Amino acid sequence: MTVQAIRPAGAGHETGAVLAVCAVIVLLATLTIVLRTTSASVSQIQAGQIDARHGLTAAEQGVYADLLVAAEEIGFAQAPLQVSDLAEQMIPPFVEDASTARRGGHDWQMRQEGPVVAYIGVTQDPNTAGSMLLRVTRSPDTTTHAEHQGNLAQVWLHKTTGAAARVPAGLKPDNLTQEGWQQIVSQFDAGATRHQH
């Protein structure tokens, strides 16, 4: 009986070739990532504005979110809605419920100056939340659903420390800024998904 030993054909060379191909793939992927990376531009908050993510308390963020949803509902109405109408329709933050006191207990009222309708919530607890203002600019001929989307809505905040909050004298952005109101803006930059150090 004859015993013949058969050696593997270049197993050491094959392993080396596979490792070399893997190294080339990793190197090409790294090079592609480095070459395609762009620096994210960070937009600055202007004077008279406040960032919705970093500048508001939890209670203010809740009222802000409710006001953005309410602005859409208000935009669908043929005529400006009174605060009592919004409360009857159970639209937060105009309806008084269990969260009202926890969010500052705002006392809501509506004012109109021409095409501008404002819903002003004067806070009852300035330590929890500042006073809020939803400013909706309506086009005079909004008759269809598509035209309702053109309504411009802004949310403004007035933080007071110890002093009683008051209703603004005018609803123009310049007047609001002069009286200490800040427009709440949402920025969606790299900081929205990455923590900035």
Side-chain angles (χ1 to χ4, degrees):
M1 169 172 209
T2 319
V3 176
Q4 190 177 14
I6 300 177
R7 296 179 159 248
H13 297 295
E14 187 176 306
T15 303
V18 169
L19 289 175
V21 168
C22 289
V24 168
I25 291 172
V26 169
L27 180 64
L28 288 174
T30 303
L31 186 61
T32 302
I33 290 170
V34 168
L35 292 177
R36 297 194 79 186
T37 302
T38 59
S39 62
S41 62
V42 178
S43 57
Q44 298 295 323
I45 299 286
Q46 298 176 6
Q49 293 182 333
I50 189 167
D51 184 29
R53 288 181 292 128
H54 303 296
L56 303 180
T57 66
E60 291 166 345
Q61 286 178 347
V63 175
Y64 172 66
D66 287 345
L67 287 173
L68 291 179
V69 173
E72 292 181 20
E73 294 293 328
I74 292 167
F76 288 118
Q78 294 295 326
L81 297 172
Q82 297 296 322
V83 173
S84 59
D85 297 330
L86 294 167
E88 286 175 15
Q89 294 178 23
M90 302 296 288
I91 297 176
F94 304 105
V95 62
E96 290 192 31
D97 57 10
S99 68
T100 302
R102 290 190 310 258
R103 289 179 162 183
H106 292 84
D107 180 28
W108 293 97
Q109 54 186 296
M110 191 268 283
R111 278 190 47 203
Q112 184 171 3
E113 288 181 6
V116 177
V117 179
Y119 297 90
I120 305 155
V122 177
T123 185
Q124 303 304 311
D125 185 3
N127 294 327
T128 302
S131 295
M132 307 286 279
L133 182 144
L134 172 62
R135 184 180 184 275
V136 179
T137 304
R138 300 177 57 92
S139 4
D141 57 349
T142 51
T143 56
T144 67
H145 174 71
E147 291 172 343
H148 284 299
Q149 301 305 318
N151 291 342
L152 301 174
Q154 300 173 340
V155 180
W156 293 72
L157 172 72
H158 189 272
K159 291 190 177 193
T160 57
T161 52
R166 61 178 194 260
V167 175
L171 298 178
K172 292 181 180 175
D174 290 339
N175 294 353
L176 294 171
T177 303
Q178 289 174 357
E179 293 186 36
W181 290 82
Q182 295 176 295
Q183 182 183 7
I184 302 172
V185 294
S186 297
Q187 293 183 314
F188 296 102
D189 52 16
T193 57
R194 296 180 185 96
H195 189 279
Q196 295 178 349
H197 295 281

